[in-house]
Amino acid sequence: MADSAFLELNGERYEFPLVTGTENEVGIDIKALRALTGAVTIDPGYKNTGSCESAITYLDGEQGILRYRGYSIEDLAEKADFLEVAYLLIFGELPNEEELAKFHQDIKDESHVDEEMKKILDGFPKSAHPMGVLSSLTSALVAFNPTSVDVSSESAMYNSIVRIMAKFPVLVAWTLRKKSGSPLDYGDDSLGYVENIHKMMFKRPNQEYKKNPVVIDALDKLLILHADHEQNCSTSTVRIVGSSHAGLFASLSAGISALWGPLHGGANQAVLEMLEAIQEDGGDTKKYMAKAKDKEDPFRLMGFGHRVYKNFDPRARIIKKAADEVLGDLGIDDPILDIAKGLEQEALEDDYFVKRKLYPNVDFYSGIIYRALGIPTDMFTVMFALGRLPGWIAQWREMRLKGEPIGRPRQIYTGENYREFKDLQSR
Ligand code: ACO
């Protein structure tokens, strides 16, 4: 492999160095492009642009590989729990027992959310979308934790990481409880991280909380599968907001807003709504396949296609299996699952989908599990945010520790050339 790339422009030849990753991915380092040539690159949607070098997550869309810090998603989903994975993503190594216990204890010690935050929550109507509420509450946390993180101090960085790992699940639970009209609940120190989240979300005021291992395991797996996905839309948002040296919580709040969209994390809600609509419409999957292929029809098969995976999404494979297991273990016979499987089968055999390499993504089956776990549809993307939290934190931390410059793309201006100002009467 050559170690430079060449560009010819206006009769001049320019040389640019190559950057090679540990998995032999190649990037052309164009840092000097504009200074040397006066030109910039145009790449809407950043389909060909590497925004950073990162040591956190590796994915190969052609091979369907996803690894966090070198560990395969299949191994992590099977053998680790969410808190271990969070530690791995953020700090780079799997924690030993002592490190994990300390991490968990430090999180428990920070799990109190200022009572004044409840007044902010109260201001939202019950009909507010939980993602809007969560993003606002995360942003509001800044007011209650105003000291900015001194990124040159590992301990200051660590403290703000455990603080948000502790408080974010409380906000998630409160968002749900506000919607369902339940009293706001605090966690229980004696429970595991994910079990505690489940308790905070679902404990009824007049009943003891009973752990259901099937539910906790499924939730743990879903959170792990969503924990990071390199430079996706919300993560890039977190990094770019953080690159202005905005604090961690403010950067996360922006990431939550980015995740909300139906082309990104909002797809899990959209998938379930689509499956329900198909069911209500008589379950005719062929009709919806035809709509998805019709270029005059804005309908897309939600949960299908991915910017990077052009073979299959390895998370979807794990989730499909988990959906079967969880519904089986909980004794739920959900016709929506059959519709989903029918659609997948048809799409896998359909020229339109095969040609465009459109496969089920992580969100095609996740909503079915969330539904089986009793999580309301408009909370699905909130659950995604809960899972993605350690990934966002890890990426923010990496970006700040490297001292990356502020994210500020260029453009090619296509508007009016200079014109004389027209005063009001002559327009
Ligand atoms: N249904 C029907 N056609 C589709 C779909 C779909 N779900 N996805 C892509 N296509 C078609 C496009 O119309 C386009 O066709 P064309 O080449 O004839 O114009 C072609 O496939 C390529 O699609 P793009 O939109 O250019 O692909 P891009 O990489 O920009 O988009 C995306 C990827 C946004 C995920 C897209 O596939 C999509 O909208 N999927 C549905 C929403 C979804 O499930 N999002 C969740 C993604 S996973 C995540 O964020 C966690």
Side-chain angles (χ1 to χ4, degrees):
M1 168 71 72
D3 50 16
S4 324
F6 295 90
L7 171 75
E8 262 185 42
L9 189 67
N10 295 331
E12 293 281 339
R13 189 171 149 92
Y14 302 94
E15 182 173 0
F16 296 97
L18 299 184
V19 176
T20 308
T22 46
E23 294 286 346
N24 297 322
E25 291 168 298
V26 177
I28 304 168
D29 177 349
I30 55 153
K31 281 201 266 321
L33 177 71
R34 189 169 176 280
L36 289 174
T37 68
V40 298
T41 55
I42 285 286
D43 187 20
Y46 309 123
K47 293 191 180 196
N48 306 282
T49 298
S51 62
C52 60
E53 291 174 42
S54 176
I56 300 170
T57 288
Y58 171 66
L59 78 82
D60 179 331
E62 275 71 36
Q63 305 290 325
I65 293 173
L66 174 61
R67 293 183 202 137
Y68 300 159
R69 302 281 190 184
Y71 295 103
S72 80
I73 192 66
E74 289 81 6
D75 273 351
L76 292 170
E78 190 62 36
K79 298 172 186 162
D81 71 23
F82 178 60
L83 204 58
E84 286 176 273
V85 170
Y87 188 99
L88 169 72
L89 280 168
I90 299 169
F91 302 112
E93 294 295 340
L94 283 166
N96 61 29
E97 273 181 47
E98 200 182 312
E99 287 162 338
L100 185 61
K102 178 177 182 326
F103 189 45
H104 196 189
Q105 188 55 50
D106 292 338
I107 288 172
K108 289 177 192 172
D109 291 346
E110 284 287 351
S111 61
H112 173 75
V113 172
D114 198 299
E115 284 290 299
E116 297 281 321
M117 287 283 289
K118 291 183 177 170
K119 293 187 190 153
I120 300 174
L121 180 65
D122 257 352
F124 286 96
K126 266 191 183 170
S127 58
H129 193 285
M131 282 300 274
V133 178
L134 186 66
S135 162
S136 306
L137 291 180
T138 306
S139 188
L141 264 188
V142 180
F144 295 91
N145 302 272
T147 36
S148 60
V149 191
D150 172 8
V151 296
S152 63
S153 151
E154 261 299 327
S155 70
M157 184 89 93
Y158 179 83
N159 290 341
S160 71
I161 289 168
V162 292
R163 202 167 292 149
I164 194 67
M165 285 292 294
K167 297 184 200 307
F168 195 72
V170 180
L171 302 185
V172 165
W174 283 5
T175 303
L176 172 67
R177 295 182 82 86
K178 156 90 186 181
K179 248 193 117 49
S180 59
S182 309
L184 303 185
D185 196 50
Y186 267 110
D188 176 344
D189 262 11
S190 67
L191 302 178
Y193 186 75
V194 171
E195 198 180 346
N196 188 37
I197 295 172
H198 188 258
K199 183 220 159 215
M200 285 194 288
M201 291 173 78
F202 291 108
K203 185 191 174 302
R204 294 186 182 220
N206 56 338
Q207 285 175 7
E208 281 279 301
Y209 172 74
K210 282 200 200 84
K211 175 181 171 174
N212 179 338
V214 173
V215 169
I216 302 306
D217 283 357
L219 210 47
D220 215 60
K221 200 169 270 182
L222 281 167
L223 295 175
I224 291 172
L225 293 176
H226 285 91
D228 196 47
H229 214 230
E230 49 117 302
Q231 307 312 316
N232 57 84
C233 177
S234 57
T235 301
S236 299
T237 303
V238 169
R239 284 184 86 124
I240 207 161
V241 173
S243 77
S244 76
H245 294 193
L248 175 60
F249 301 173
S251 308
L252 292 171
S253 166
I256 296 165
S257 298
L259 186 71
W260 190 358
L263 297 190
H264 189 13
N268 55 14
Q269 174 175 347
V271 169
L272 208 93
E273 286 167 353
M274 173 189 79
L275 294 173
E276 282 172 344
I278 297 175
Q279 186 193 23
E280 273 168 35
D281 194 21
D284 183 357
T285 48
K286 292 207 163 45
K287 173 173 161 189
Y288 285 85
M289 287 291 291
K291 274 165 75 64
K293 294 189 281 181
D294 180 356
K295 292 289 171 203
E296 303 300 309
D297 191 327
F299 176 80
R300 277 191 166 195
L301 202 54
M302 299 313 287
F304 263 77
H306 197 277
R307 169 58 62 79
V308 183
Y309 291 120
K310 301 298 176 193
N311 177 334
F312 64 91
D313 179 339
R315 302 166 301 172
R317 195 171 271 175
I318 300 171
I319 282 194
K320 182 181 178 184
K321 190 164 161 266
D324 272 330
E325 286 165 5
V326 172
L327 268 65
D329 286 343
L330 296 175
I332 297 172
D333 181 17
D334 191 341
I336 291 274
L337 181 59
D338 296 330
I339 293 179
K341 284 183 177 170
L343 274 177
E344 179 186 351
Q345 199 48 44
E346 281 172 42
L348 292 180
E349 289 162 7
D350 190 291
D351 248 17
Y352 174 98
F353 286 86
V354 172
K355 243 194 224 146
R356 290 170 179 75
K357 301 189 167 140
L358 301 171
Y359 296 89
N361 59 49
V362 66
D363 284 326
F364 193 62
Y365 287 103
S366 65
I368 293 171
I369 308 186
Y370 288 136
R371 187 160 113 129
L373 302 183
I375 295 171
T377 312
D378 60 3
M379 282 293 290
F380 289 1
T381 315
V382 168
M383 301 310 291
F384 189 154
L386 189 61
R388 187 54 55 90
L389 179 69
W392 287 333
I393 295 172
Q395 300 273 352
W396 184 91
R397 177 176 176 272
E398 179 181 74
M399 184 264 311
R400 289 304 311 271
L401 286 179
K402 277 193 181 172
E404 281 181 13
I406 186 167
R408 204 298 189 187
R410 292 277 179 166
Q411 64 164 19
I412 295 294
Y413 175 70
T414 59
E416 297 285 348
N417 291 118
Y418 174 77
R419 348 186 222 179
E420 291 286 339
F421 180 77
K422 276 189 194 161
D423 55 27
L424 196 54
Q425 293 77 10
S426 56
R427 285 176 216 163

